[in-house]
Amino acid sequence: MSTFPRTVANPDRSGSVPTHHASPAARRAALLAGVALLSLLTACGNGTPNSSPKTLPGTAGPASGDTSTKAGSTGPSSPAASAPSKKKGTGTGTDTGTASAAASSGSAAAGGGRCHTSELRASVGRNDPGAGQENFPVVLTNSSGRTCTVRGYPGAAFVDASGKQLGPDPLRSSGSPTTVVLAPGHSAWSGLTFSNPGISGAHTATPASLIVTPPDERDSLTVTWTGGTVPVSGNSSSVFLTVVRPGSGA
């Protein structure tokens, strides 16, 4: 038998092409090489799993849970962007305090401000006794050239000729303080009352003066006392003062 390869005739070409009968091992090696080549070509065409995704154009907002914003921008949750602006005259926020301050300033301007001790003159009016009670009006008169106001309770104390206080400080009778506007020459008064010592049996003394301190002031005025004896200790010895009110108490 001949060991030379056979030739197959090709009608389109002259001559003949030799053919080989490959062994099974050679065919298996060729198949594996083809598969490896195909996998390499596929990877080059489609990219690898670790490649970065493409960036798409658009203005979509951040994903859920992403609250970051670009540098220099104000996010929707920023107080500066979301807080409403306050307008004057709305009666909210600091405007309320401003309006109240303006109203208070207006009232003070209308009354000219509080009367100071140096602008007042003190006197004690005539006693108006009744039902075992002694009642004296303590009068404060505006002696200045401006309008001013008084409000609340004055202070008072009986003293002897040497200036020593007789008895405790007067107590305050219940009452609702009101602001009294005093034009120059006008007066306000507070009632000074106590039980008649002859009826109550209280221990008495005869004061030389009554010291009067206008409401909200530290300096006092001295008035000569001509009302006789006053209770200073013992039964029913308390002396009372009322809030100031317009007039002279006459």
Side-chain angles (χ1 to χ4, degrees):
M1 181 180 291
S2 173
T3 60
F4 292 96
R6 294 180 302 170
T7 59
V8 179
N10 187 341
D12 295 328
R13 298 178 60 183
S14 59
S16 60
V17 178
T19 55
H20 299 275
H21 292 280
S23 65
R27 287 196 300 270
R28 186 163 47 249
L31 178 62
L32 292 176
V35 172
L37 179 61
L38 180 61
S39 299
L40 178 62
L41 293 175
T42 303
C44 293
N46 296 334
T48 64
N50 293 329
S51 62
S52 301
K54 294 181 180 179
T55 301
L56 300 178
T59 57
S64 176
D66 183 2
T67 58
S68 62
T69 58
K70 295 182 179 179
S73 65
T74 303
S77 62
S78 170
S82 60
S85 60
K86 295 179 180 179
K87 297 181 180 180
K88 292 182 179 180
T90 61
T92 60
T94 56
D95 293 329
T96 302
T98 303
S100 299
S104 298
S105 298
S107 299
R114 186 177 81 244
C115 297
H116 300 293
T117 301
S118 61
E119 299 173 305
L120 298 170
R121 182 179 70 253
S123 59
V124 177
R126 186 180 61 183
N127 184 21
D128 183 20
Q133 199 79 5
E134 310 300 322
N135 305 290
F136 294 88
V138 177
V139 183
L140 296 171
T141 302
N142 183 1
S143 58
S144 74
R146 73 178 186 99
T147 298
C148 58
T149 62
V150 292
R151 178 186 176 88
Y153 296 87
F158 294 112
V159 296
D160 61 16
S162 65
K164 179 182 177 181
Q165 182 169 338
L166 302 172
D169 293 339
L171 304 177
R172 293 178 174 182
S173 297
S174 59
S176 299
T178 58
T179 300
V180 181
V181 178
L182 298 181
H186 287 221
S187 301
W189 68 283
S190 170
L192 183 149
T193 65
F194 52 86
S195 297
N196 187 304
I199 298 174
S200 68
H203 298 111
T204 65
T206 302
S209 304
L210 178 69
I211 305 299
V212 179
T213 306
D216 299 319
E217 290 291 301
R218 293 179 180 275
D219 296 331
S220 58
L221 301 166
T222 302
V223 182
T224 300
W225 179 256
T226 59
T229 59
V230 298
V232 293
S233 63
N235 298 332
S236 301
S237 60
S238 296
V239 178
F240 295 89
L241 283 168
T242 67
V243 295
V244 294
R245 62 199 76 179
S248 61

